[in-house]
Amino acid sequence: MALIVQKYGGTSVGSVERIQAVAQRVYKTVKAGNSLVVVVSAMGKTTDGLVKLANEISPNPNRREMDMLLSTGEQVTIALLSMALQELGQPAISMTGAQVGIVTEAEHSRARILHIETTRLTRYINEGKVVVVAGFQGTSSTEEMEITTLGRGGSDTSAVAIAAALRANFCEIYTDVPGILTTDPRLVAEAQLIDAITCDEMLELASLGAKVLHPRAVEIARNYGVPLVVRSSWTDAPGTWVTSAKPQGRSLINLEIARPVDAVEFDTDQAKVALLRVPDKPGVAARLFGEISRQKVDVDLIIQSIHEGNSNDIAFTVTTPILKRAEAVTTAIAPALRNQSNPKLDEAEVMIEHNIAKVSIAGAGMIGRPGVAAKMFATLAEAGVNIQMISTSEVKVSCVVDAAECDRAVAALRTAFEIEAGEAKRDEGDEEAGGDEEAGGDEGAGGDEGVGRDKLILLSPSSPSSPTPPVRGVALDLNQARLAIRQLPDRPGMAAKLFGLLAQHNISVDMIIQSQRCRVIDGVPRRDIAFTVSRIDGENAKKMLTQVAAELGWGEVVLDSAIAKVSIVGAGMQGQPGVAAKMFEALAQQQINIQMIATSEIKISCVVPQEQGVKALQAIHAAFELAGSEKFVVPA
């Protein structure tokens, strides 16, 4: 017998008929011999309707009262579903977040879960009842016991947190698509269903805009080793398993606010190759990395900065043993990349730096916390460590520094993030990466036939011996803006000040690119730095940074909101140097110019013109042959 947590979202419980269908599915799961907790969202567009009512009363409604209002939506669903189960002869009881014992921070509209008191929940389960829980809500730990809501994707978060607290066998998330797809089926009808995906890959996809799972839910699953399966509430298809490595022992106290960083990693076996002043036109990155892949050169980090005039810079890191081969390839191709249309421009120049190291902080708790990266940069600045390159992902921030400063950097980061000495480890070598979003879906989830612990093995993802495709998904984010600061002084502390200011204003940063071209102005070495933020934060960020630019010695602050970010994600990229080249070539064939490049271990992201974003997504999805024969249609 298995203990299963199922989650159903708004579309899945959007009518009396849908609620009765969910009840039948739940009943079938229990009759198969399983214990069940069901987490539900508000019916259909109920939450939208409540928000509209509030806005008719007040243009800026009080957040506490909004939590009081919005929490009522789920209470309707839990009562109706419990009634439907009781009509089938299945004992069931509905419970609000407060009754279940979901204790949160006292933060209205965006609370994080502190812990879950499972005593009452466990008693009802042991009595053979299906416990139907209101997702998206909890109660504060203060004496006032304020009703709180968890923010967007809160029902996903509730379900996975309950599964972690109960140590359930697995958690089923039911939605309106058959599982996790290789991309958004609204943009590519032939998007293919993925049988299994890792939590790290799913974190990247979810953060890139995939709506099937919220990043906070995936973060909890990763931290506590909760097996997840995403399935359609409309069919009995097996869906997609989201897997994670066996977690280290972690307390269930402060469940969502545990330390954001789990480990400090470092790699001193690195060298940097930079190609300066290459033409800013389609095909340059494709030619460079195409030749690099043909020579079997494995590349780690890749960055391409914003253009300066008609040229820009591309830099990448490799392991020291293959540096000579990487240098030879780059030097050989540099003359072919000179700007033929303007021969007066300086020829592309190859710059090699030997004595570098990569230091990283890693942890799923970084998600949605803009202060974590800022704290890393400030820590390095206080230790007198200058940052040469920056690479970011949802679960890791990496900085390239001088090798002589590596030990000092690691020690400082360990102290700042309270990491024991044994948790600072040598990076075993990661490579290019990529990932994107997938099918849009409701918040919904649903239950399926019960699966006992023995059957769980049969339904688990393919064995490790199965070949892992290098790219699992392709994503497109049309909601980003790019900010560039020209002529930032190149000295320790600048990145800390910049990103510290953004963190103070609760502005999260995605891609961060530091130019490799250094200019000495008035005796001060300076570089450009560019980064992407959510488009809604773009104007405020520009205004705030412009106000302090003169005081801090920065140059012009430039905002571009007409960009798109297209990404590929896949843990199988490691050790396959042709992945980046294939992505760049797909864009070059469509005459799409790459404005920025940034990579992490499992993701490669390119900034392209906004009007070419959809075409870029479709070209890359086709290049990696991710299309399937079946066409998926997202329900209206």
Side-chain angles (χ1 to χ4, degrees), residues 148-211:
T148 55
T149 63
L150 308 182
R152 190 175 72 85
S155 293
D156 287 349
T157 305
S158 299
V160 182
I162 289 171
L166 291 173
R167 294 181 170 82
N169 294 76
F170 54 92
C171 179
E172 295 180 320
I173 303 291
Y174 282 85
T175 182
D176 54 5
V177 290
I180 297 162
L181 305 180
T182 52
T183 195
D184 189 339
R186 293 166 295 193
L187 301 177
V188 180
E190 297 80 12
Q192 187 173 344
L193 180 66
I194 302 171
D195 293 333
I197 190 170
T198 67
C199 270
D200 283 351
E201 290 170 321
M202 192 63 236
L203 275 172
E204 297 287 3
L205 289 173
S207 299
L208 287 162
K211 297 181 178 128

Side-chain angles (χ1 to χ4, degrees), residues 60-332:
N60 186 26
N62 179 276
R63 284 169 55 194
R64 179 194 182 275
E65 302 308 329
M66 283 300 292
D67 276 3
M68 187 68 75
L69 175 67
L70 297 183
S71 66
T72 64
E74 282 72 22
Q75 291 183 48
V76 173
T77 317
I78 60 174
L80 293 175
L81 181 55
S82 294
M83 293 175 192
L85 286 166
Q86 291 162 8
E87 285 298 306
L88 295 174
Q90 172 58 49
I93 185 168
S94 61
M95 298 178 73
T96 65
Q99 289 173 317
V100 167
I102 297 177
V103 180
T104 74
E105 302 171 298
E107 283 284 341
H108 289 293
S109 79
R110 57 170 184 252
R112 287 180 179 263
I113 297 173
L114 298 178
H115 63 277
I116 300 177
E117 300 282 357
T118 59
T119 304
R120 189 176 179 188
L121 193 57
T122 302
R123 185 173 79 246
Y124 288 137
I125 292 171
N126 290 338
E127 290 174 1
K129 294 178 179 177
V130 171
V131 185
V132 184
V133 178
F136 176 65
Q137 62 181 248
T139 184
S140 70
S141 58
T142 60
E143 290 182 7
E144 290 80 7
M145 292 190 67
E146 292 287 318
I147 291 175
T148 55
T149 63
L150 308 182
R152 190 175 72 85
S155 293
D156 287 349
T157 305
S158 299
V160 182
I162 289 171
L166 291 173
R167 294 181 170 82
N169 294 76
F170 54 92
C171 179
E172 295 180 320
I173 303 291
Y174 282 85
T175 182
D176 54 5
V177 290
I180 297 162
L181 305 180
T182 52
T183 195
D184 189 339
R186 293 166 295 193
L187 301 177
V188 180
E190 297 80 12
Q192 187 173 344
L193 180 66
I194 302 171
D195 293 333
I197 190 170
T198 67
C199 270
D200 283 351
E201 290 170 321
M202 192 63 236
L203 275 172
E204 297 287 3
L205 289 173
S207 299
L208 287 162
K211 297 181 178 128
V212 172
L213 279 174
H214 193 273
R216 281 171 63 186
V218 184
E219 174 190 354
I220 297 170
R222 181 184 188 270
N223 286 342
Y224 292 94
V226 178
L228 284 177
V229 59
V230 179
R231 311 178 70 175
S232 170
S233 60
W234 306 81
T235 71
D236 291 326
T240 303
W241 283 93
V242 183
T243 63
S244 57
K246 186 176 180 180
Q248 298 176 347
R250 183 184 289 262
S251 172
L252 287 164
I253 303 298
N254 292 333
L255 192 145
E256 269 202 286
I257 63 167
R259 64 183 188 187
V261 174
D262 292 327
V264 175
E265 300 172 356
F266 64 95
D267 184 357
T268 54
D269 191 24
Q270 293 252 316
K272 180 174 68 176
V273 180
L275 196 56
L276 309 183
R277 295 183 296 277
V278 297
D280 182 36
K281 64 181 183 181
V284 171
R287 290 189 67 182
L288 172 60
F289 289 98
E291 188 58 35
I292 285 173
S293 70
R294 281 188 287 275
Q295 298 301 322
K296 307 298 183 185
V297 174
D298 285 342
V299 173
D300 186 356
L301 302 181
I302 303 172
I303 66 166
Q304 177 182 302
S305 59
I306 55 170
H307 66 88
E308 185 172 337
N310 294 318
S311 69
N312 54 30
D313 311 326
I314 300 176
F316 57 92
T317 62
V318 295
T319 57
T320 304
I322 61 171
L323 173 61
K324 289 190 180 298
R325 198 170 0 137
E327 182 179 2
V329 173
T330 309
T331 303

Side-chain angles (χ1 to χ4, degrees), residues 6-9 12 22 172-175 233 442-447:
Q6 295 180 343
K7 181 259 179 179
Y8 296 87
S12 301
V22 167
E172 295 180 320
I173 303 291
Y174 282 85
T175 182
S233 60
D442 65 357
E443 237 194 77

